Amino acid sequence: MNQYDIIIIGAGPGGLTAGIYAGRQGTKNLIIDKDLAGGLGREVPEMENYPGFDNISGLELIEKMKAQATKNCDLHEMEEVTEIAKTDDEYRFTVKTSKDTYQSKTIILATGSSHRQLGAKGEEEFKGKGVSYCATCDGFFFAGRDIIMVGGGNSALQEALYLKNLGANVTIIHRRDEFRAQKHLQDMIKEADINTILNATVDEIKGNMLVESVVLKDTQTSELTEMPINGVFVSVGYIPHTELAEQLGVNLDESGHIIIDKDQKTNIDYVYAIGDVCVGLKQWVVACGEGAVAATSAFTDIQ
């Protein structure tokens, strides 16, 4: 059975950074991800706030980080971790995956999150047929077409700008009376002359083979209005992936995120957590910092 000092579950920005730091400490380490390295980071169209780059796409930055990480540790993509069990020997954890079984002295959970859905009628029916959660993946197909972006945070406004630049006719739908995004992004939305509809939610998504319209509900009056549309892009938050954490008995907060201390330690000895699965600010640079801290904490505890 393959044995490691540190196994990192998840190859997003935080997981890859943890792998870089772990490898440079001289430990034997493995990163495992059920998908391709990068996670939701691959979908970020443009970043202007990552140190060292005026502007870079998530995919480009992931490829740079992946190349650096694989110089320092093993990386297994497209391999899903199905179970983590505690043991009583030096290798405290047995990690079972869709392809193999491993043992490790420590575990770093970097399992990330997935897109939260609207819960609107017709959403499931029209997934991939006009409903999308990834502007980078699907935006190209909507150049010159009428679309809505649902959400009011940084990601929603960033993706609305990206879609506008592709040539789509974008309207932002937000359930509150003001955006939660940074003022810089709100100013960019105004400069780009992107339409906004506030105090509204998507009640229903309608169409035949493809999306043809949405029914909007006014959050103040409950009035319903049908709007002709070709596409619905959704950015309304994320759901943390905590299934493996719960197997181990890791404590979660009321929102379902993993509770960690300043050293990225959970309540379970030799189990650490980083990135979007944790309580805290959901930013690329934060996940990277947490990855560095967790790898260093694991190394110190092993010693």
Side-chain angles (χ1 to χ4, degrees), residues 5-229:
D5 295 306
I6 303 172
I7 287 183
I8 302 156
I9 302 173
L16 292 173
T17 304
I20 293 168
Y21 273 75
R24 291 173 62 83
Q25 294 165 166
T27 49
K28 184 181 180 184
N29 316 292
L30 169 64
I31 306 174
I32 309 174
D33 198 296
K34 65 179 181 179
D35 296 309
L36 295 174
L40 292 179
R42 301 174 68 87
E43 301 177 7
V44 178
E46 292 182 334
M47 279 190 294
E48 297 177 320
N49 61 355
Y50 190 83
F53 297 95
D54 287 336
N55 189 296
I56 190 169
S57 72
L59 183 58
E60 184 181 356
L61 187 52
I62 280 295
E63 289 305 315
K64 292 178 181 293
M65 295 179 69
K66 178 180 172 181
Q68 191 174 3
T70 52
K71 292 178 183 177
N72 292 281
C73 67
D74 295 336
L75 170 62
H76 293 185
E77 297 175 287
M78 309 305 291
E79 183 172 350
E80 183 174 6
V81 175
T82 57
E83 182 183 346
I84 306 175
K86 299 176 192 175
T87 65
D88 295 325
D89 58 21
E90 179 186 9
Y91 292 89
R92 302 174 185 89
F93 304 96
T94 299
V95 178
K96 296 182 179 180
T97 76
S98 55
K99 297 181 179 179
D100 210 338
T101 301
Y102 311 93
Q103 288 185 316
S104 183
K105 297 176 182 177
T106 61
I107 297 289
I108 298 177
L109 296 170
T111 45
S113 58
S114 58
H115 295 286
R116 188 178 299 279
Q117 297 185 15
L118 294 174
K121 183 178 179 182
E123 183 176 10
E124 285 290 332
E125 179 184 352
F126 289 105
K127 274 185 183 177
K129 300 174 183 178
V131 174
S132 174
Y133 305 86
C134 177
T136 310
C137 312
D138 302 324
F140 173 81
F141 301 107
F142 292 88
R145 313 197 80 182
D146 297 325
I147 63 172
I148 61 171
M149 167 59 69
V150 186
N154 290 339
S155 296
L157 270 60
Q158 285 173 334
E159 294 195 353
L161 289 163
Y162 175 77
L163 291 163
K164 173 78 171 183
N165 288 337
L166 288 178
N169 303 314
V170 186
T171 298
I172 302 175
I173 309 295
H174 184 44
R175 62 191 177 93
R176 295 193 173 101
D177 59 2
E178 61 182 6
F179 293 123
R180 295 176 290 108
Q182 296 170 350
K183 184 179 183 300
H184 167 68
L185 288 169
Q186 295 189 45
D187 290 342
M188 290 180 70
I189 290 294
K190 291 177 182 177
E191 290 170 12
D193 197 26
I194 294 177
N195 295 327
T196 61
I197 299 177
L198 301 178
N199 295 313
T201 59
V202 176
D203 190 69
E204 183 178 358
I205 301 168
K206 301 170 72 174
N208 188 7
M209 296 296 292
L210 301 172
V211 169
E212 296 176 355
S213 68
V214 292
V215 176
L216 301 180
K217 183 177 183 179
D218 189 300
T219 58
Q220 296 180 326
T221 66
S222 297
E223 180 182 356
L224 298 177
T225 305
E226 188 163 351
M227 178 180 182
I229 213 76

Side-chain angles (χ1 to χ4, degrees), residues 266-281:
T266 70
N267 60 300
I268 304 298
D269 290 341
Y270 302 99
V271 177
Y272 316 82
I274 61 176
D276 285 2
V277 76
C278 298
V279 175
L281 182 64

Side-chain angles (χ1 to χ4, degrees), residues 227-270:
M227 178 180 182
I229 213 76
N230 302 121
V232 178
F233 285 80
V234 180
S235 182
V236 292
Y238 303 92
I239 300 172
H241 294 162
T242 57
E243 297 84 0
L244 296 173
E246 292 179 69
Q247 278 186 19
L248 289 165
V250 169
N251 287 341
L252 310 178
D253 76 348
E254 63 277 2
S255 69
H257 291 82
I258 296 175
I259 300 170
I260 40 86
D261 67 11
K262 63 182 179 62
D263 297 313
Q264 302 303 131
K265 297 180 181 182
T266 70
N267 60 300
I268 304 298
D269 290 341
Y270 302 99

